[in-house]
């Protein structure tokens, strides 16, 4: 028989690869070499998928169409899903397995995820932008759904039963009254079947989910609590040595001269020189560190901008050439006339907000283990871009990308901070020179100095409203921090929101939610200022400016947070204040209400007592893990709001330690309440980022209510109450 | 100072040959293969390296190995008995008090030491004793809940 699947005619004994894939490196032999015999369903990268891969070689490259992910069912009944996404604490290993289990009608524990190993998984641009849930989960879901249909075909063929009477459930295909009944392994045993599908596969609607939508426990939780999980820094290899890299005191330094004789005289120590890179390799990390102390070097560094001149610098260099400048301006949603809008306003607010550079501080610093075997390089490293790092390594070490194998163990967090990993390149250079595997783990000081930061920024707002609170004008300019959540989500007839690129004195890059935090801080602070200017309650003022159907989701989270907090029901105690904020980014919606206690004379003058956050990201995949992400984002956002700040002077980072750079601790934790709005009628969106964006403005607005003072710089109280 | 030749780890004598000034953390991880304790900051301020020495939680990145030579050392690898997890480990799983998990072994060991010294800790005891351990993913509220649940379970004899 020739069953019809998803509009594609297939023959069960000859599920051949389609031409595009046959031309790529994903041959059927490749699938079965990796996974063993059984059934393979591979899905082509569709419109859901992330940025297309580069043209260079490697898995998934080469063909006209690339595979996005694949699912394998072996004779042992084990379902394995292969994806390039990485696990960095967002619990995507769990949530993606839930999607696969759901479509294949198997228990959660039957699904194994193979992730972020460039030799085993198809190309993926990286794990960022909250894309795993909206882009990768549907691909895996479709592959699993197609696999289920093939299993039904196989069972029908084997039993000669009427296919329409067969049901896939609990890892078995069964007929009415349990006859026939085959486990998935029985159906795939001895087979080597490959089916490649496009994106047009019907999947289970959220209301019918049985595994997704539940609080499945963290997939490898037991390995975490027993210390058994091997992070990159825990990986060891036979004959492995330890490396250290020589660092100058100042950023952007050039090496003038170096004397390595004393270090080289130590037993077992090798000094490696590669351009400006000077490293030592030794049998223990201690010996490497001791040897490094004996290396004498002279560096030359240019004069560099200091923290005290930062905001002036960002404004002065905006839109001009050089650095990140280039005259770039970006924005969106320009409409009406700002001048007319301001003229029509009864009250206006003109304010400037600033945001400092902050560090990601992933608790696992950058780490890599590099090993060369017969001209091939294998690198274990914690990165959010396994294929990007593979290509970076290929370029830096001048080898073909298909000779570089990157393995990303589940990693000790990233928060957007592990897109590039210089550590991997450094370890590979050291390992090549000594001819043995080398482990390199950056110190906390290196992590604070030689990685990259969340961009600092200046944001200028000029806005107006009528006496009744209706917004008339919104003019918003962000210098340097970025364009995420730039446009106002409120109804305002005269609107302009622009991003101005400029020159950043420090290396900057992605950070959880990007500039949506900075832009929401400025916008929601200014909205609060306007509410007070027109004499309206901040909640009422916001709701008044969210009148339309398009504002429904934003309004829903705002009302949910306000209700759970009891907004308007009680007045804050003496020295305390309440503040709220709402925003949206990456198609998810968040509102926070904060209660703070202020003591201007205290070393830590602001204590956040309580935060209620309402969050909506479509259909909820794992309620407990989602709640955990929201709680964690609120906690992390708290640091950037109040005290986290990178201090720097003329090329030197002044606080590159946890003693000098304060992050939230147990004693900082407020009472946290999370309200999840589960919209089963809407696609699931990512949730690792957006819940962070309303913390700072809610806290700022609460501080204003408590004190009558408006703090417009993040962090708001880095060294006591601002003078 | 001679090299340290032996450590008492998780109830067993473990041979080593470590420079006396090396950190306990590096010897546990690199020489004895006990990688549960993590490097997080090297300044004793994050607690990822927490192990129990002589009954007390210590930051092993700050402990010179020579000072630990004669003392019983307990690491996260020695907590579970066979497949049976320690009540603190179970409580962490039940509360979902982790995201990336990198801080977890240190948190678990700090919590075990806390509950051995204060079987019935107040909220403030927990905050005081745990404040030296950082969870950058921000699961503090869950960690507190896990430690409170473990305290209850241990009082009930769930050893």
């Amino acid at each position: 028989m020739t069953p019809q699947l998803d509009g594609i005619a297939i023959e069960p004994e000859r599920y051949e690869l389609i031409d595009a894939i046959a031309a790529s490196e994903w041959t059927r032999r490749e699938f079965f070499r990796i996974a063993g015999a059984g059934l393979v369903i591979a899905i082509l990268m569709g419109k859901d998928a992330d940025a297309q891969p580069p043209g260079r070689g490697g898995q998934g490259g080469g063909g006209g169409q690339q595979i996005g992910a694949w699912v394998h069912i072996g004779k042992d009944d084990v379902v394995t899903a292969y994806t390039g996404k990485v696990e960095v604490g967002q619990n995507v290993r769990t949530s993606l397995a839930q999607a696969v289990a759901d479509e294949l009608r198997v228990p959660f524990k039957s699904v194994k995820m193979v992730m972020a190993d460039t030799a085993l998984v198809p190309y993926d641009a990286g794990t960022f932008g909250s894309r795993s849930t909206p882009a990768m989960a549907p691909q895996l879901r479709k592959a699993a759904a197609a696999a289920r249909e093939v299993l039904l075909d196989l069972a029908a063929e084997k039993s000669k039963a009427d296919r329409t009477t067969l049901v896939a459930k609990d890892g078995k295909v069964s007929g009415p009254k349990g006859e026939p009944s085959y486990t998935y392994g029985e159906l795939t045993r001895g087979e080597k079947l490959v089916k490649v599908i496009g994106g047009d596969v019907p999947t289970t609607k959220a209301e019918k989910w049985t595994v997704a939508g539940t609080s499945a426990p963290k997939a490898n939780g037991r390995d975490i609590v027993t210390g058994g999980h091997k992070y990159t820094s825990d990986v060891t290899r036979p004959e492995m040595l330890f490396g250290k890299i020589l660092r100058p005191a100042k950023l952007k330094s050039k090496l003038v001269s170096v004397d390595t004789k004393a270090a080289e005289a130590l037993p077992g120590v090798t000094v490696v020189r590669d351009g400006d890179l000077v490293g030592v390799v030794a049998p223990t990390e201690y010996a490497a560190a001791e040897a490094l102390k004996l290396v004498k070097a002279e560096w030359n560094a240019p004069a560099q901008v200091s923290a005290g001149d930062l905001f002036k610098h960002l404004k002065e260099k905006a839109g001009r050439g050089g650095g990140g400048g280039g005259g770039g301006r970006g924005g969106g949603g320009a409409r009406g006339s700002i001048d007319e809008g301001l003229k029509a306003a009864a009250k206006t607010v003109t304010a400037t907000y600033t945001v400092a550079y902050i560090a990601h501080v992933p608790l696992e610093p950058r780490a890599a283990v590099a090993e060369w075997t017969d001209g091939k390089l294998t690198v274990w490293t914690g990165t959010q871009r396994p294929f990007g790092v593979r290509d970076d390594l290929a370029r830096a070490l001048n080898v073909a990308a298909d000779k570089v194998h990157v393995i990303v163990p589940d990693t000790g967090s990233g928060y957007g901070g592990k897109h590039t990993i210089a550590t991997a390149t450094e370890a590979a250079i050291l390992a090549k020179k000594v001819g043995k595997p080398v482990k390199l783990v950056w110190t906390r000081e290196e992590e604070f100095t030689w990685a990259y930061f969340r961009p600092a920024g200046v944001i200028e707002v000029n806005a107006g409203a009528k006496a009744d609170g209706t917004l008339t004008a919104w003019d918003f300019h962000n210098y340097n921090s970025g364009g995420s959540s730039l446009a106002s989500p409120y109804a305002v007839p005269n609107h302009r929101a622009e991003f101005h690129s400029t020159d950043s004195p420090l290396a900057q890059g992605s950070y959880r939610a990007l500039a949506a935090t900075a832009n929401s801080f400025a916008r929601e602070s200014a909205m609060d200022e306007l509410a007070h200017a027109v004499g309206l309650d901040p909640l009422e003022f916001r709701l008044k400016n969210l009148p339309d159907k398009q504002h429904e989701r934003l309004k829903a989270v705002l009302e949910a947070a306000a209700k759970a907090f009891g907004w308007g029901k009680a007045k804050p105690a003496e020295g305390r204040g309440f503040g709220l904020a709402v925003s949206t980014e990456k198609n998810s919606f968040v509102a926070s209400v904060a209660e703070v206690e202020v003591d201007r004379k205290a070393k830590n003058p602001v204590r956040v007592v309580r935060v209620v956050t309402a969050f909506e990201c479509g259909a909820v995949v794992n309620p407990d893990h989602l709640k955990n992400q929201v709680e964690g984002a609120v906690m992390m956002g708290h640091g950037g709001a109040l005290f986290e700040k990178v201090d720097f002077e003329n090329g030197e980072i002044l606080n590159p330690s946890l003693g000098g750079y304060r992050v939230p601790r147990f004693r900082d934790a407020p009472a946290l309440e999370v309200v999840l709005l589960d919209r089963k009628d809407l696609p699931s969106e990512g949730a690792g980022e957006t819940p962070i964006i309303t913390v700072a403005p809610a806290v700022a607005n609460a501080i204003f209510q408590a004190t009558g003072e408006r703090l417009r710089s993040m962090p708001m109280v880095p060294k006591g109450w601002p003078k | 100072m001679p090299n340290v030749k032996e450590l008492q780890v998780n109830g067993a004598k473990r041979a080593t040959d470590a420079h006396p000034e090396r950190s306990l953390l590096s010897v546990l991880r690199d020489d004895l293969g006990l990688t549960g304790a993590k490097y997080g900051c090297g300044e004793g301020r994050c607690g990822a390296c927490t192990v129990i020495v002589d009954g007390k939680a210590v930051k092993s990145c700050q402990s010179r190995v020579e000072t630990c030579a004669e003392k019983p050392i307990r690491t996260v690898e020695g907590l579970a008995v066979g497949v049976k997890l320690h009540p603190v480990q179970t409580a962490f799983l039940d509360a979902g008090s982790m995201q990336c998990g990198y801080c977890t072994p240190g948190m678990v060991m700090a919590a075990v030491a806390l509950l051995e010294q204060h079987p019935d800790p107040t909220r403030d005891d927990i905050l005081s004793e745990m404040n030296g351990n950082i969870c950058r993913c921000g699961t503090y509220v869950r960690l507190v809940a896990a430690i409170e649940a473990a305290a209850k379970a241990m009082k009930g004899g769930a050893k």
Side-chain angles (χ1 to χ4, degrees):
Chain A
M1 71 180 215
T2 303
Q4 284 292 128
L5 285 188
D6 319 314
I8 305 167
I10 55 160
E11 296 167 84
E13 302 306 318
R14 292 180 297 280
Y15 291 78
E16 288 300 335
L17 294 163
I18 64 170
D19 289 347
I21 294 303
S24 83
E25 294 180 33
W26 279 101
T27 61
R28 60 184 280 132
R29 181 180 296 178
E30 191 72 6
F31 289 122
F32 296 120
R33 180 187 65 77
I34 291 168
L39 167 65
V40 166
I41 303 289
I43 181 160
L44 297 173
M45 272 193 176
K47 61 180 168 47
D48 295 331
D50 290 324
Q52 288 298 301
R56 48 197 310 155
Q59 304 292 358
Q65 287 179 292
Q66 276 82 23
I67 288 171
W70 56 287
V71 170
H72 173 265
I73 301 168
K75 63 180 178 187
D76 52 2
D77 294 329
V78 173
V79 176
T80 311
Y82 294 79
T83 167
K85 295 299 177 195
V86 307
E87 172 62 54
V88 285
Q90 80 283 43
N91 281 327
V92 75
R93 180 179 289 284
T94 305
S95 64
L96 293 177
Q98 285 181 271
V100 172
D102 216 51
E103 290 297 343
L104 266 167
R105 320 291 194 237
V106 296
F108 168 66
K109 286 191 171 171
S110 306
V111 178
K112 189 180 140 205
M113 298 296 303
V114 173
M115 301 172 73
D117 179 323
T118 63
L120 304 180
V121 304
Y123 175 87
D124 185 83
T127 305
F128 46 72
S130 288
R131 300 291 299 151
S132 300
T133 295
M136 182 50 70
Q139 288 203 76
L140 285 170
R141 203 172 253 289
K142 286 170 187 171
R148 186 188 70 227
E149 295 302 317
V150 172
L151 292 166
L152 288 166
D153 292 338
L154 291 170
E157 196 191 6
K158 206 163 181 159
S159 65
K160 311 294 177 203
D162 177 0
R163 188 183 185 282
T164 60
T165 66
L166 301 178
V167 176
K169 203 183 167 194
D170 294 334
K172 285 182 189 151
V173 178
S174 309
K177 297 175 194 157
E179 282 294 327
S181 178
Y182 305 105
T183 70
Y184 293 173
E186 284 167 351
L187 293 169
T188 60
R189 189 166 297 156
E191 301 279 5
K192 284 195 174 181
L193 309 177
V194 175
K195 179 170 156 58
V196 177
I197 59 169
D200 191 21
V201 178
T203 54
T204 309
K205 288 190 165 42
E207 308 90 70
K208 298 268 175 73
W209 288 350
T210 53
V211 184
T214 68
S215 293
K218 188 174 176 68
N220 55 347
R222 193 182 169 96
D223 291 343
I224 302 284
V225 298
T226 56
H229 172 64
K230 300 290 182 201
Y231 295 85
T232 295
S233 46
D234 303 330
V235 169
T236 59
R237 302 295 299 162
E239 296 190 73
M240 186 178 81
L241 301 173
F242 294 81
K244 287 276 176 196
I245 304 294
L246 184 71
R247 304 292 178 193
K250 291 186 177 185
L251 301 167
K252 300 177 186 171
S253 293
K254 290 279 166 210
L255 187 61
V256 177
S257 66
V258 62
D259 178 356
T260 60
K261 281 194 206 71
E264 276 166 313
L266 293 175
V269 171
T270 306
V271 177
V272 178
R273 172 91 194 266
D274 184 273
D276 275 7
L277 179 87
V278 180
V280 297
V281 180
T284 66
E285 196 168 17
Y286 176 80
E290 290 297 301
L292 193 69
K293 287 180 193 164
L294 299 179
V295 176
K296 301 290 171 226
E298 195 186 328
W299 302 87
N300 203 347
Q304 295 169 59
V305 174
S306 301
D309 302 321
L310 173 65
F311 300 125
K312 188 166 145 264
H313 175 84
L314 293 178
K315 280 295 300 286
E316 277 176 5
K317 297 286 178 184
R320 294 180 204 161
R329 273 184 168 218
R335 56 184 180 266
S337 155
I338 298 296
D339 288 346
E340 294 298 318
L342 289 171
K343 267 186 223 157
K347 296 283 179 185
T348 59
V349 163
T350 302
T352 299
Y353 303 85
T354 61
V355 177
Y357 289 107
I358 64 174
H360 305 80
V361 201
L363 206 58
E364 181 186 26
R366 281 167 165 70
V369 175
E371 178 175 275
W372 291 85
T373 312
D374 303 328
K376 290 187 178 175
L377 172 63
T378 302
V379 174
W380 290 258
T381 192
T383 177
Q384 297 173 246
R385 290 168 58 252
F387 287 87
V389 167
R390 177 197 67 178
D391 293 346
D392 291 345
L393 283 165
R395 272 189 291 276
L397 279 300
N398 198 24
V399 288
D402 63 2
K403 298 268 188 280
V404 182
H405 177 191
V406 171
I407 301 168
V408 180
D410 289 9
T411 293
S413 74
Y415 318 115
K418 287 182 178 168
H419 287 201
T420 56
I421 304 290
T423 326
T425 305
E426 292 163 353
I429 290 170
L430 299 182
K432 192 172 185 184
K433 174 78 180 197
V434 298
K436 284 186 180 163
V438 170
K439 179 187 284 189
L440 175 62
V441 180
W442 275 15
T443 63
R444 180 54 59 191
E445 181 174 349
E446 287 178 295
E447 182 68 37
F448 265 119
T449 310
W450 301 100
Y452 56 85
F453 303 101
R454 184 184 76 180
V458 177
I459 300 171
E460 293 172 344
V461 185
N462 199 1
K466 290 185 198 165
D468 70 356
T470 311
L471 286 172
T472 58
W474 190 261
D475 194 16
F476 191 92
H477 297 268
N478 176 313
Y479 297 86
N480 191 60
S481 76
S484 294
S485 194
L486 186 71
S488 172
Y490 293 98
V492 51
N494 304 293
H495 177 271
R496 179 169 61 184
E498 290 186 344
F499 166 67
H500 305 263
S501 63
T502 174
D503 171 61
S504 170
L506 299 185
Q508 59 184 23
S510 293
Y511 182 101
R512 194 175 200 174
L514 305 174
T517 294
N519 288 326
S520 299
F521 170 65
R523 180 168 57 243
E524 285 296 287
S525 294
M527 285 295 286
D528 221 63
E529 298 198 40
L530 266 179
H532 289 284
V534 298
L536 279 184
D537 174 83
L539 175 63
E540 194 190 334
F541 175 69
R542 284 172 173 81
L543 291 174
K544 192 175 186 68
N545 289 292
L546 296 171
D548 304 324
K549 177 81 179 145
Q550 71 186 75
H551 303 120
E552 171 208 19
R553 295 174 76 181
L554 203 61
K555 206 172 149 182
V557 288
L558 180 57
E559 287 176 329
K563 184 173 173 223
F565 184 86
W567 184 267
K569 293 226 168 104
K571 289 220 178 308
E574 180 66 24
R576 291 193 177 192
F578 304 151
L580 55 76
V582 62
S583 194
T584 173
E585 170 64 8
K586 298 189 175 85
N587 226 12
S588 61
F589 299 81
V590 62
S592 291
V593 188
E595 176 177 358
V596 303
E597 184 174 57
V598 181
D599 174 2
R600 282 191 182 78
K601 294 194 184 84
K603 186 178 160 223
N604 296 316
V606 176
R607 187 169 75 90
V608 181
V609 178
R610 181 185 175 212
V611 178
V612 176
T613 298
F615 185 61
E616 190 260 287
C617 58
V620 174
V621 177
N622 186 316
D624 190 57
H625 287 179
L626 178 58
K627 190 163 171 271
N628 197 346
Q629 286 301 312
V630 176
E631 291 167 359
V634 170
M635 209 57 244
M636 192 174 195
H638 180 127
L642 291 179
F643 40 74
E644 286 186 43
K645 180 184 185 180
V646 174
D647 205 4
F648 58 100
E649 189 176 308
N650 189 25
E652 204 173 332
I653 303 295
L654 300 178
N655 57 341
S657 69
L658 288 173
Y661 184 100
R662 174 153 128 72
V663 301
R665 290 180 179 272
F666 273 91
R667 281 211 177 276
D668 295 310
L672 293 179
E673 196 176 325
V674 175
V675 182
L676 300 178
L677 305 185
D678 188 5
R679 288 288 303 265
K680 291 195 193 300
D681 56 321
L682 294 170
S684 306
E685 304 288 347
E689 303 190 73
T690 301
I692 201 172
I693 68 180
T694 47
V695 184
V699 167
N701 297 338
I703 291 172
F704 177 78
Q705 200 194 41
T707 64
E709 285 187 54
R710 185 60 69 178
L711 303 186
R712 298 190 183 87
S713 296
M714 282 178 68
M716 289 179 264
V717 289
K719 287 175 181 165
W721 191 257
K723 306 224 164 34
Chain B
M1 255 305 175
N3 278 6
V4 174
K5 299 287 188 187
E6 189 181 272
L7 291 173
Q8 298 173 41
V9 187
N10 298 327
K13 289 183 172 157
R14 299 287 303 266
T16 183
D17 187 16
H19 191 287
E21 287 181 15
R22 284 177 60 194
S23 68
L24 174 61
L25 177 67
S26 82
V27 177
L28 289 173
R29 289 176 52 80
D30 298 336
D31 298 13
L32 302 183
L34 297 168
T35 55
K38 309 294 183 211
Y39 170 88
C41 69
E43 47 177 320
R45 286 195 167 98
C46 79
C49 65
T50 305
V51 299
I52 298 176
V53 180
D54 223 2
K56 294 196 183 73
V58 304
K59 309 285 197 282
S60 65
C61 76
Q62 295 296 292
S63 310
R64 289 202 317 276
V65 66
E66 61 173 339
T67 67
C68 308
E70 305 289 319
K71 297 173 184 166
I73 299 163
R74 289 158 65 201
T75 72
V76 71
E77 289 88 348
L79 270 192
V81 180
V83 296
K84 191 169 160 49
L85 296 177
H86 187 281
V88 168
Q89 292 171 311
T90 304
F92 271 50
L93 286 177
D94 290 348
S97 58
M98 69 202 71
Q99 285 180 20
C100 79
Y102 195 77
C103 72
T104 307
M107 289 283 179
V108 166
M109 295 312 284
V112 167
L114 161 68
L115 294 176
E116 286 175 356
Q117 278 154 34
H118 306 269
D120 199 6
T122 63
R123 180 65 64 91
D124 204 60
D125 291 335
I126 295 174
L127 297 181
S128 295
E129 295 295 318
M130 300 300 297
N131 209 47
N133 287 63
I134 291 171
C135 171
R136 183 57 165 161
C137 299
T139 67
Y140 295 121
V141 170
R142 285 165 182 256
L143 286 161
V144 171
I147 293 167
E148 289 176 345
K152 271 195 196 135
M154 288 165 77
K155 270 189 296 185
K159 284 267 178 186

